[in-house]
Amino acid sequence: MPTGRPQLKCSNRGGLVSDFPSGTNPDRPNFIKRNRLVAGLADTTIVIESAEKGGSLITADLAFSYGREVFTFPGRISDAQSAGCHKLIREQKAGLITSASNLLTVLGWENISVPQQATQPSFTFSDNNEIEKISRLIREQEEIQLNQLALLTDTLVHLLTALLFELELNGLIQACPGNIYRWK
């Protein structure tokens, strides 16, 4: 049950902001609340494709109402998945962009260089037996499909993907096409 206030969990190099307690299922009714936070935290919202009443439009409208920049790619007039993008442009809620370099120019980021820094995983296995079990299985198998991993660990797929994402963020595994995960 939502608390009404976003929860914040941080580590050395990241954080998690949520309206929901840990373990909440990623159910459809929760998307708008999640996107409210995304729109508020992001400098820019970019809509690639959206139907006339797509969820992306809700996020774009939220970002626009927060005074954030919103951009969209135009699409074919006859394409239903471009109708939302055209609507944003027509209503002057989004700027039109045509490429990544165009976006970098519009945002003034084209001359920014990011210094390379060595990254070290901030994750410690001693806190989480489930992560240990998952990482051990992937290491032993070298690569494994998501459903097979779910069966072997007896973990629900939606919970497993969150744990796999954590391992991926820490540079320990690589996500490959077909929901296959490889040890790095």
Side-chain angles (χ1 to χ4, degrees), residues 12-13 117-123 169-171:
N12 291 341
R13 293 193 175 111
Q117 26 177 302
T119 59
Q120 291 182 340
S122 60
F123 192 79
L169 282 177
N170 285 291

Side-chain angles (χ1 to χ4, degrees), residues 46-48 71-74 89 95-100 102-104 106:
I46 303 167
V47 180
I48 307 298
F71 294 99
T72 190
F73 286 90
I89 294 167
L96 182 133
I97 54 174
T98 56
S99 67
N102 178 222
L103 177 64
L104 294 175
V106 169

